[in-house]
């Protein structure tokens, strides 16, 4: 356990080093995809955002625009255009084929890209979270800080034959998760969802949900879930773990204890430390994870 704790403490420093090398040396194939534009977003998604920003918007009105599943508070909605997904995946493949250093998303995914290292946090993911997603999550998940999601971890995972085929049951280090299928052509590989992590039942009831290209699934980060094996082809998924410091500062979602914080660069794991006088704000991660 101590060895794993030490490994995780080094991750942030290693990531900063990789990001600097990528920024200096990597030649982007589709530089336009690094800056979020309305033209990347599906017209139906923009209509959903428009509704959610109305003064009288409410949950039941929002549910007319999106698809919901069972009682697990899982929702599907259109997100990107097909054209953007194709260009984005082409850029990701170009990066994968380069000789740049690559950090992997987590211990469960061996293939994929950390988007902050690629330089997409400030110009793409942050505005997507703040301007477009937060009006939606504020209505869907007010109890999980859906109106104050102030940080994130964003990455892309890849499933292919002879590589990662599936993903075992787990829950996310997030209050709210967005999972978008970017393509390419694949068969099988449905997602499955069980209990909320803090309310497991002896025999959990799982539901399967098909992943539809260019569409996203929103779910609570603590929802136990996984991905069944793909049978053919290749699939890329954009995952955004969205975090609310107001929620997680009270209780770490991974260890269920009051966070013990250590300083970190960037968003860390989304925890914040109370300010003293006019001291500059610091961002922290839970020292246990």
């Amino acid at each position: 356990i101590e060895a794993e704790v030490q490994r995780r403490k080094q991750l942030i420093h290693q990531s900063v080093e990789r990001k600097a090398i990528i920024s200096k040396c990597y030649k982007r194939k589709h530089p336009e995809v690094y800056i979020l534009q309305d033209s990347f977003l599906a017209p139906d998604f923009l209509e959903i955002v428009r509704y959610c920003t109305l003064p009288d918007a409410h949950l039941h009105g929002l549910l007319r625009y999106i698809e919901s599943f069972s009682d697990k508070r899982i929702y599907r909605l259109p997100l990107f255009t097909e054209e953007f997904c194709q260009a984005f995946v082409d850029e990701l493949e170009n990066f994968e084929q380069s000789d740049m250093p690559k950090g992997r998303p987590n211990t469960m995914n061996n293939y994929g890209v950390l988007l902050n290292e690629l330089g997409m946090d400030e110009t793409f993911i942050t505005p997507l979270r703040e301007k477009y997603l937060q009006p939606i999550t504020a209505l869907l998940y007010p109890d999980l800080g859906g109106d104050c999601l102030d940080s994130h971890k964003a990455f892309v995972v890849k499933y292919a034959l002879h590589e990662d085929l599936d993903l075992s049951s787990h829950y996310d280090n997030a209050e709210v998760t967005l999972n978008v299928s970017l393509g390419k052509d694949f068969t099988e590989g449905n997602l499955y969802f069980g209990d909320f992590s803090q309310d497991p039942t002896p025999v959990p009831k799982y539901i399967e949900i098909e992943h539809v290209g260019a569409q996203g699934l929103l779910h609570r980060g603590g929802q136990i879930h996984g991905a069944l094996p793909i049978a053919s082809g290749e699939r890329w998924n954009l995952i955004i773990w969205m975090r609310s410091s107001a929620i997680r500062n009270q209780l770490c979602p991974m260890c269920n204890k009051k966070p013990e914080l250590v300083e970190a660069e960037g968003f860390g794991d989304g925890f914040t430390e109370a300010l003293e006088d006019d001291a500059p704000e610091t961002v922290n991660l839970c020292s246990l994870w």
Side-chain angles (χ1 to χ4, degrees):
I1 292 174
E2 180 60 30
E4 178 63 10
V5 169
Q6 293 305 317
R7 185 191 71 83
R8 294 190 182 205
K9 285 182 177 179
Q10 295 302 313
L11 291 179
I12 298 244
H13 307 296
Q14 295 165 356
S15 181
V16 170
E17 293 174 358
R18 288 191 298 266
K19 182 178 180 181
I21 294 171
I22 293 167
S23 175
K24 181 179 179 180
C25 303
Y26 174 59
K27 182 173 176 57
R28 297 173 175 179
K29 184 175 183 180
H30 297 282
E32 69 278 3
V33 304
Y34 287 76
I35 301 175
L36 182 63
Q37 302 174 42
D38 275 4
S39 60
F40 299 165
L41 303 170
D44 287 347
F45 175 71
L46 292 173
E47 179 62 21
I48 293 169
V49 176
R50 186 200 65 79
Y51 171 78
C52 291
T53 54
L54 295 175
D56 57 348
H58 53 83
L59 175 61
H60 294 297
L62 170 58
L63 293 179
R64 294 199 297 263
Y65 291 87
I66 63 179
E67 188 176 359
S68 60
F69 296 90
S70 73
D71 58 349
K72 297 183 183 294
R73 300 175 70 187
I74 304 165
Y75 306 97
R76 178 157 58 204
L77 67 167
L79 210 115
F80 295 122
T81 65
E82 294 284 352
E83 293 76 14
F84 167 76
C85 289
Q86 291 171 6
F88 189 26
V89 169
D90 195 38
E91 177 65 30
L92 294 168
E93 290 180 324
N94 184 68
F95 177 73
E96 276 290 294
Q97 293 161 10
S98 74
D99 59 359
M100 292 294 102
K102 301 172 181 71
R104 297 312 181 185
N106 50 63
T107 56
M108 300 179 73
N109 293 105
N110 300 303
Y111 302 89
V113 180
L114 290 163
L115 295 183
N116 69 309
E117 294 184 6
L118 205 55
M120 297 190 72
D121 251 7
E122 295 82 0
T123 57
F124 192 103
I125 303 298
T126 293
L128 179 64
R129 169 174 54 81
E130 292 180 343
K131 182 179 179 180
Y132 298 94
L133 295 173
Q134 190 157 285
I136 300 171
T137 59
L139 295 179
L140 295 177
Y141 306 106
D143 54 323
L144 296 172
D147 60 344
C148 53
L149 297 171
D150 50 1
S151 70
H152 61 259
K153 177 178 180 179
F155 52 94
V156 174
V157 294
K158 176 188 175 187
Y159 299 93
L161 298 181
H162 310 300
E163 295 183 0
D164 287 341
L165 289 175
D166 55 10
L167 187 61
S168 300
S169 296
H170 66 285
Y171 57 91
D172 300 336
N173 186 357
E175 275 63 69
V176 179
T177 295
L178 173 68
N179 185 330
V180 186
S181 177
L182 301 171
K184 305 161 73 173
D185 293 326
F186 60 91
T187 57
E188 303 296 335
N190 287 350
L191 302 183
Y192 62 89
F193 292 85
D195 296 323
F196 196 69
S197 62
Q198 297 175 8
D199 306 304
T201 57
V203 182
K205 180 182 178 182
Y206 286 90
I207 63 169
E208 277 189 39
I209 300 177
E210 180 183 1
H211 229 333
V212 179
Q215 298 196 14
L217 289 171
L218 280 168
H219 63 85
R220 296 173 292 174
Q223 194 83 46
I224 295 173
H225 61 285
L228 296 171
I230 63 168
S232 66
E234 183 177 300
R235 184 174 81 199
W236 291 80
N237 285 49
L238 167 64
I239 313 292
I240 307 178
W241 289 353
M242 294 180 282
R243 295 156 167 170
S244 169
S245 60
I247 298 295
R248 60 184 38 226
N249 284 353
Q250 307 305 312
L251 194 71
C252 173
M254 304 305 288
C255 65
N256 286 322
K257 297 178 182 178
K258 180 73 175 178
E260 297 177 25
L261 302 178
V262 295
E263 290 189 8
E265 300 185 48
F267 286 138
D269 274 4
F271 301 89
T272 55
E273 193 169 57
L275 299 181
E276 296 181 8
D277 300 322
D278 293 326
E281 183 175 357
T282 58
V283 181
N284 301 271
L285 53 86
C286 180
S287 63
L288 296 178
W289 291 89

